[in-house]
Amino acid sequence: MPELVFFSGTMDCGKSTLALQIEHNRSARGLAGMIFTRDDRAGEGKLSSRLGLVTDAVEVEDGQDLYAYVVDHLTQGGRVDYVIADEAQFLGPDQIDQLARVVDDLDVDVYAFGITTDFRSKLFPGSQRLVELADRVEVLQVEALCWCGARATHNARTVGGVMVVEGAQVVVGDVTRSPDEIGYEVLCRRHHRRRMTSASARAGTLSPDVLPVSPV
C-alpha cells in the first residue's frame, strides 16, 4: 500500500542526502518521481545535500495546492510514481493534507523530509501535521553531534556565534555560514538550554563556570 512517510532529524543528519538516494534508486529502476522543495540552501528549485549532490525540484510557493499540481501533471500525460518533499517543515499544514491526499486518492508514495522543531524547540506547523498524518515517522539514524560530542537533538540559530531565541520562525541559513552571519548549529539539549554554542564554549574556557557557593 502507498504510504506517507516522514523522515525527520536535526539539521546536518543527512535528510537531503537520503532524499537524493531515494530519488536515484527509484529513477534508476525506471520510475518517475516528482520532487518538491522550499528554501533549499542551493537556491530556488533545487534539492541539494551538503555532500555536494544536487538535482532539480519544484519550488513550492505559499498557498500552492500540491495535490492539484500532481493531478495537473498526470492529466497532461505525465507520470508520477512517487513524490519527494524536502524541507517539509516549511510547508503549510494544508499542503501536508494535500500530500496525504496524493497517497490516498492517487495511490502514490510520498516521502517527506524535514526537521521537527525550530530554533526555539517549537514544532514547525508542517512537521506537526506530518506527525499527525504520516503512516510512518522515521527518525534518521545518522546522528548529528553537538560540539561537546553528545548526540545533537536541537537546532540553534546563531548571530555572530551567539545563540538567539527570538525572531521569525523561518530564516534561511546554514550550518556552514561564517560566524558573523545568521547561521544554525546543532546542540544537545543541555547546551541548547544553556545557550552555549561552540563559539561561546571556546570563550568560556577563559572564564569557566563555577558552582554557586554561598559564603560561610
Side-chain angles (χ1 to χ4, degrees), residues 138-154:
E138 300 282 352
V139 178
L140 297 192
Q141 298 304 308
V142 178
E143 294 185 350
L145 299 179
C146 177
W147 59 264
C148 69
R151 177 172 176 264
T153 54
H154 289 62

Side-chain angles (χ1 to χ4, degrees), residues 15 21 25 45 68 103 112 123 149-150 195:
K15 296 182 300 302
Q21 185 68 54
N25 290 351
V103 176
L123 286 168
R195 303 186 188 181

Side-chain angles (χ1 to χ4, degrees), residues 118-121 155-168 171 181-185 187 192 194-197:
D118 64 15
F119 68 104
R120 302 164 299 182
S121 299
N155 305 292
R157 180 181 296 169
T158 61
V159 178
V162 177
M163 179 175 160
V164 296
V165 294
E166 296 181 352
V171 175
E181 297 179 275
I182 294 176
Y184 290 90
E185 182 175 346
L187 300 173
H192 191 275
R194 295 178 179 177
R195 303 186 188 181
M196 186 176 289
T197 66

Side-chain angles (χ1 to χ4, degrees), residues 4 8 45 50 72 92 94 116 145 147 158 168 187 198 201 213-215:
L4 171 60
S8 181
R50 291 189 182 88
D72 183 63
D94 55 338
T116 308
L145 299 179
W147 59 264
T158 61
L187 300 173
S198 57
V213 178
S214 300

Side-chain angles (χ1 to χ4, degrees), residues 2-192:
E3 290 184 305
L4 171 60
V5 186
F6 181 32
F7 294 93
S8 181
T10 61
M11 296 183 69
D12 219 16
C13 75
K15 296 182 300 302
S16 296
T17 301
L18 179 58
L20 287 160
Q21 185 68 54
I22 288 177
E23 160 64 13
H24 170 75
N25 290 351
R26 280 154 180 73
S27 62
R29 296 297 180 267
L31 300 177
M34 179 170 288
I35 303 175
F36 293 115
T37 191
R38 179 156 188 176
D39 296 332
D40 188 274
R41 68 184 71 84
E44 185 173 337
K46 298 293 181 183
L47 165 57
S48 69
S49 163
R50 291 189 182 88
L51 298 182
L53 305 172
V54 63
T55 192
D56 292 329
V58 177
E59 184 75 17
V60 177
E61 299 177 355
D62 287 336
Q64 182 176 359
D65 189 325
L66 303 186
Y67 176 80
Y69 190 96
V70 175
V71 168
D72 183 63
H73 181 76
L74 292 171
T75 57
Q76 294 185 41
R79 276 181 59 194
V80 180
D81 298 312
Y82 59 93
V83 170
I84 291 173
D86 197 33
E87 306 293 355
Q89 72 275 4
F90 296 146
L91 301 181
D94 55 338
Q95 291 172 323
I96 302 303
D97 282 273
Q98 292 155 14
L99 291 177
R101 190 179 176 192
V102 168
V103 176
D104 297 338
D105 293 359
L106 303 179
D107 291 330
V108 172
D109 284 310
V110 174
Y111 307 102
F113 299 80
I115 59 179
T116 308
T117 57
D118 64 15
F119 68 104
R120 302 164 299 182
S121 299
K122 304 296 184 182
L123 286 168
F124 281 99
S127 298
Q128 177 179 335
R129 193 61 178 147
L130 274 165
V131 171
E132 293 165 349
L133 291 183
D135 297 294
R136 286 189 290 128
V137 177
E138 300 282 352
V139 178
L140 297 192
Q141 298 304 308
V142 178
E143 294 185 350
L145 299 179
C146 177
W147 59 264
C148 69
R151 177 172 176 264
T153 54
H154 289 62
N155 305 292
R157 180 181 296 169
T158 61
V159 178
V162 177
M163 179 175 160
V164 296
V165 294
E166 296 181 352
Q169 186 175 52
V170 179
V171 175
V172 178
D174 202 357
V175 295
T176 58
R177 296 292 177 95
S178 73
D180 295 329
E181 297 179 275
I182 294 176
Y184 290 90
E185 182 175 346
V186 289
L187 300 173
C188 63
R189 184 182 64 242
R190 174 181 295 136
H191 289 126
H192 191 275

